Amino acid sequence: MALASRHLLGLNGVPKEDIQLILDTARTFREVLERPIKKVPTLQGKTIVNLFYENSTRTRISFELAQKRLSADTINFSTSTSSTKKGETFKDTVRNIEAMKVDMIVVRHQSAGVPHYLTRISNANIINAGDGLHEHPTQGLLDMYSINEKLGRLEGLNVCIVGDVAHSRVALSNIFGLKTMGANVSVCGPATMIPIGIEKLGVKVFHRIDDAIKNNDVLNVLRIQLERDAGRRIPSLREYHQFFGITTDRIKNHNPDILILHPGPINRGVEISSEAADGPYQIILDQVTNGVAVRMAVLYLLGTMH
Amino acid sequence: MKIILKQIKIIDPSSSLNEVNDILIEDGVIKKIGSINEDEFKSSKIFEMDGKIVTPGFFDMHVHLREPGREDEETIETGSNAAAVGGFTGIACMPNTNPAIDSAEVVRFIKEKSSNHLVDVFPIGAATLNRKGESISPILELYEAGVVGFSDDGNVIKSAGILRNVLEYSKITKAPVIEHCEDESLADGAMNESFTSTLLGLPGIPTVAEDLIVARDIMMAEYVDGKVHIAHISSKKSVELVRQAKKNGIKVTAEVTPHHFTLTDENLKTFDTNYKMNPPLRSREDVEAIIEGLKDGTIDCIASDHAPHSIEEKEMEFIFAPNGIIGLETQIGLAISELVKKKHLTIEQLIEKFAINPRKILNLEIPKIKVGEKANLTILDPEIIWTVDVSKFKSKSKNSPFDKKLLTGKAIAVINKNKMFYEDKFFTI
Ligand SMILES: [Zn+2]
């Protein structure tokens, strides 16, 4: 079995069999991660560059660990976009990296479309580790893996993505992936955070968190960007928490069976209360572990393609 | 020198001419139309023009020449060459140069540099000093130096108060205020705000950002009784606002670019920065409304918004890449292919939008195909099928989304100021 594409740019358009293959492969690697020796030789001799134009320690570490567990050689190139705007162009940087004969590039960038552009200027396999407000496919995959691990299925589940959906790459990847796997997807947040035309994707919109909790099996709670949003898209963090925050009381009152996911890092007391973030309903740390397994699966499947 | 355009179809809407005939041009002046005698044939250079159309010279009222300031992207000369290849005998150049066209000195510099070229270049003056929107530019002085309109293009005229004063002043000159309509508080994006922007994760610019300013400007034009010209109109609602304003007798006119009646925001799906422009490519619905507006005369003219950018600048990450594409060398082909061949406009209507209306808006003399008149002509081959090749462009920049596109119809020659451009050469006639 092999994937249809030699890149992972997003989950939009990825066929069900491919998502299933990645999730099944991830299960194998998840078992590897429980062994005393957590390393397999599958990508020995492959060189992978982690090209991070945006600070994201968590995602980078997760990819890096996945690469090490697969015995690949890893190079990290991290820089802020503001410095490259003045200095070397993106294209020149990529050409330099290409000249070093790399096999795969994992890229994180603040502009949507950069991974797609990379496929035009590089011969490496490209993995999107988050592009602008567009997609973050490995996050979508690890969320699906984690839901499936906990609830035993994806098909027919009701999953709601809560928060700043309009400015989230996690939301789109979740929507595309979950829809493909047969889940019902909804979003919940203030209207200023719901992207235009989202219902055209077959996504239901809630503006009241209690309704979202009542009507779903899973909530995927997005991080609020503290500095960027307060006073602009939401009146204040306090008000947001009051009307959209996930609390243990809300869960107990409306749906004690609900499963809570959060891509991290958490703003305690904003999108989720501290009690709820540590409580029995969430699987936030499982997501982190699963993230490594899912990224191993993606790297393995793309890295061993011909 | 004498030349004869033989058996050419002459279409001049302003003198209701539509016939196949011979034209004799001597020292740049139209000497005869038809009934040319043997001697004249013998002593003239003859151009066989079967199937070709001659019209009054086309005019593009929205061009960015980049000189002074960014001569690496375009100069007055290369831009004028691109205009000639594209079929234009006149252009108006926008003031967002460096320095901006906000002093008589810069106006004179451009006039001087362009004076020997076949293509007439008319500067548009900045509406406010350095296009900052803070204090109004020396409007009367600029007008006297030769500008034909006022604009902060690239920017909207930021406040209604400043707009009012610019309009009051420009009214004295009868030159229009040309507005780049965009409410900046809504325009912090990289493409049209739509379902497609949601899918692509690119920040959107909603059509209402344009509509609000179009509405503001129409109201101000009415209040002051001034002349406002809406540059590069792109939204359905804005077309409707202009249509209503014209019905109410308000002095408002509008232009559209070929890309806004040809492409939609769905073209951005490849993240190719050659589809990044401002105003952004809109929806199919907006494109249809624009074509309606062209048909019923709501939209007066077609202009390229020719915006040269270097390859290094355009080949950037999408959200960082600059807005704009070049258009001088593709726009007649696009207009014939998309509007005439698809029967939205007749060839006469197209000529009005390219040759007559832009000059009317800018109060410029309209060239006529008439004995005794100076020959200011565009010659079209409406049937030729050709492939766009940016590597052959005269423009210094290559940022066009139309590379490799198959088009029907193009200009094959222009004549103006006693000069002709034909078969890739300029020569005196
Ligand atoms: Zn403009």
Side-chain angles (χ1 to χ4, degrees), chain B residues 62 64 94 151-155 179-181 231-232 278-279 305:
Chain B
H62 196 136
H64 297 274
M94 284 294 162
S151 180
D152 277 355
D153 187 46
N155 297 333
E179 268 278 62
H180 168 109
C181 299
H232 41 55
N278 192 15
D305 194 5

Side-chain angles (χ1 to χ4, degrees), chain A residues 114-131:
Chain A
V114 163
H116 310 70
Y117 176 55
L118 260 178
T119 64
R120 295 197 283 268
I121 57 173
S122 163
N123 292 314
N125 303 94
I126 308 299
I127 298 173
N128 181 359
D131 64 324

Side-chain angles (χ1 to χ4, degrees), chain B residues 38-309:
Chain B
E38 199 127 328
D39 280 354
E40 285 164 338
F41 268 114
K42 273 181 195 151
S43 58
S44 304
K45 187 169 162 57
I46 311 245
F47 295 87
E48 298 289 345
M49 289 292 178
D50 275 340
K52 312 296 188 285
I53 296 172
V54 64
T55 78
F58 282 10
F59 192 94
D60 186 342
M61 68 177 289
H62 196 136
V63 173
H64 297 274
L65 285 180
R66 304 289 184 229
E67 186 179 0
R70 286 301 303 265
E71 292 82 356
D72 60 314
E73 293 182 331
E74 197 80 282
T75 64
I76 293 163
E77 188 183 356
T78 58
S80 300
N81 290 345
V85 176
F88 295 85
T89 62
I91 57 178
C93 62
M94 284 294 162
N96 60 336
T97 46
N98 188 14
I101 310 179
D102 61 1
S103 69
E105 201 185 327
V106 183
V107 178
R108 279 194 289 269
F109 167 80
I110 294 168
K111 294 290 273 180
E112 175 69 34
K113 272 216 132 179
S114 61
S115 60
N116 288 323
H117 204 281
L118 181 153
V119 175
D120 299 314
V121 177
F122 296 93
I124 303 293
T128 66
L129 283 181
N130 207 17
R131 299 166 45 252
K132 280 208 177 109
E134 286 156 12
S135 38
I136 66 173
S137 58
I139 286 182
L140 298 179
E141 198 176 297
L142 288 170
Y143 182 74
E144 236 167 53
V147 308
V148 292
F150 301 94
S151 180
D152 277 355
D153 187 46
N155 297 333
V156 64
I157 296 176
K158 287 185 180 60
S159 82
I162 293 286
L163 169 68
R164 178 196 180 160
N165 292 343
V166 169
L167 265 176
E168 299 274 16
Y169 246 85
S170 67
K171 215 174 106 180
I172 304 171
T173 70
K174 298 197 167 57
V177 173
I178 301 170
E179 268 278 62
H180 168 109
C181 299
E182 169 181 60
D183 183 312
E184 287 175 350
S185 71
L186 285 165
D188 186 18
M191 68 171 290
N192 183 39
E193 181 174 286
S194 63
F195 178 55
T196 310
S197 67
T198 293
L199 283 185
L200 298 182
L202 285 169
I205 304 172
T207 47
V208 71
E210 175 171 317
D211 305 337
L212 283 170
I213 300 297
V214 170
R216 178 195 84 171
D217 284 17
I218 286 170
M219 289 175 134
M220 195 62 79
E222 181 178 28
Y223 188 72
V224 177
D225 192 29
K227 261 173 85 174
V228 167
H229 175 74
I230 310 296
H232 41 55
I233 200 165
S234 75
S235 96
K236 179 181 176 175
K237 186 94 190 172
S238 289
V239 174
E240 186 49 34
L241 286 165
V242 172
R243 183 176 288 125
Q244 286 310 320
K246 284 188 165 184
K247 267 189 201 143
N248 296 336
I250 299 165
K251 290 177 192 139
V252 58
T253 51
E255 80 194 19
V256 67
T257 71
H259 42 279
H260 286 112
F261 62 69
T262 310
L263 305 172
T264 67
D265 57 7
E266 303 217 356
N267 286 99
L268 276 87
K269 284 188 171 158
T270 58
F271 293 98
D272 182 345
T273 56
N274 279 324
Y275 293 100
K276 185 179 178 188
M277 56 278 279
N278 192 15
L281 298 173
R282 303 289 190 187
S283 69
R284 176 61 48 202
E285 209 185 337
D286 294 305
V287 169
E288 280 163 13
I290 281 166
I291 292 174
E292 257 339 285
L294 279 164
K295 282 161 86 166
D296 72 6
T298 301
I299 300 175
D300 302 82
C301 60
I302 299 168
S304 65
D305 194 5
H306 181 84
H309 288 293

Side-chain angles (χ1 to χ4, degrees), chain A residues 81 85 90-91 109-114 116-117 120 133-134 172 176 195-198 200-201, chain B residues 188 193-195 197-203 269-273 312 315-320:
Chain A
T81 32
K85 254 175 116 172
F90 179 74
K91 195 178 182 184
H109 200 289
Q110 112 192 53
S111 173
V114 163
H116 310 70
Y117 176 55
R120 295 197 283 268
L133 317 173
H134 185 215
L172 265 190
F176 292 132
I196 197 157
I198 192 80
K200 285 193 198 168
L201 290 172
Chain B
D188 186 18
E193 181 174 286
S194 63
F195 178 55
S197 67
T198 293
L199 283 185
L200 298 182
L202 285 169
K269 284 188 171 158
T270 58
F271 293 98
D272 182 345
T273 56
E312 305 81 72
E315 270 195 346
M316 232 191 282
E317 300 97 308
F318 200 93
I319 61 169
F320 301 141

Side-chain angles (χ1 to χ4, degrees), chain A residues 41-85:
Chain A
T42 33
L43 289 187
Q44 210 152 42
K46 295 269 181 192
T47 308
I48 306 175
V49 176
N50 297 314
L51 187 58
F52 275 60
Y53 277 78
E54 208 181 44
N55 200 0
S56 173
T57 316
R58 283 162 177 257
T59 305
R60 209 204 64 226
I61 287 176
S62 179
F63 266 108
E64 213 180 318
L65 197 58
Q67 290 152 5
K68 295 213 159 99
R69 299 276 189 245
L70 293 169
S71 309
D73 297 319
T74 296
I75 301 161
N76 289 313
F77 181 96
S78 300
T79 179
S80 76
T81 32
S82 55
S83 70
T84 54
K85 254 175 116 172

